[in-house]
Amino acid sequence: MIRAADIREWRNRSVVDPKDHKIGVLEAIYVDTTTDEPAMATVRIGLPTRHQLAFVPLDNVILGPDYVKVSYAKTLVKKAPSIGMDDILPAEAEEAIFQHYDMTYQPGTGGERQLARR
């Protein structure tokens, strides 16, 4: 698991799937607001002139010397909800990310977001 202290160290590393297919480049980490533990990453995908940031969960992640291996196939990540390079994740879009990966979405008791960018 990526610890909060390591976030800057792993930014711009290649993100690969379980079969070592390159998905893209790690752009940012989003932590779970209830635990402050890394929960999702954005991966820079697409053509150089049309990059997007796709979301991928960080459960069972493996860190290598120059890569971050996620437990999801490249095709699934490329179809995940994404945002533009300069965009911010809207609160109402969080649930769709969790649904895409068949994960339970749990906003805070007061309706707070589940994800926060670090």
Side-chain angles (χ1 to χ4, degrees):
M1 176 55 70
I2 299 175
R3 294 186 316 262
D6 297 333
I7 290 172
R8 287 193 180 121
E9 179 181 336
W10 291 102
R11 190 164 186 254
N12 294 318
R13 301 284 184 182
S14 292
V15 177
V16 298
D17 74 2
K19 294 183 178 181
D20 293 325
H21 297 125
K22 184 175 178 180
I23 300 169
V25 177
L26 193 139
E27 179 70 23
I29 301 291
Y30 284 73
V31 297
D32 184 314
T33 57
T34 57
T35 64
D36 207 35
E37 291 294 321
M40 296 266 180
T42 52
V43 180
R44 191 168 54 235
I45 61 171
L47 300 172
T49 58
R50 291 185 265 167
H51 279 135
Q52 294 182 14
L53 299 174
F55 287 84
V56 63
L58 292 175
D59 53 332
N60 301 314
V61 71
I62 297 171
L63 302 175
D66 59 352
Y67 65 86
V68 177
K69 185 181 285 191
V70 296
S71 56
Y72 297 91
K74 177 179 180 176
T75 54
L76 183 64
V77 177
K78 293 237 177 190
K79 293 179 184 175
S82 62
I83 58 175
M85 290 295 294
D86 295 324
D87 294 341
I88 297 171
L89 175 65
E92 59 273 6
E94 281 188 359
E95 188 171 3
I97 297 166
F98 285 82
Q99 287 176 346
H100 179 76
Y101 291 103
D102 293 322
M103 299 170 67
T104 303
Y105 179 65
Q106 296 282 15
T109 55
E112 299 89 3
R113 299 177 71 138
Q114 185 172 347
L115 298 174
R117 184 176 173 171
R118 291 286 187 256

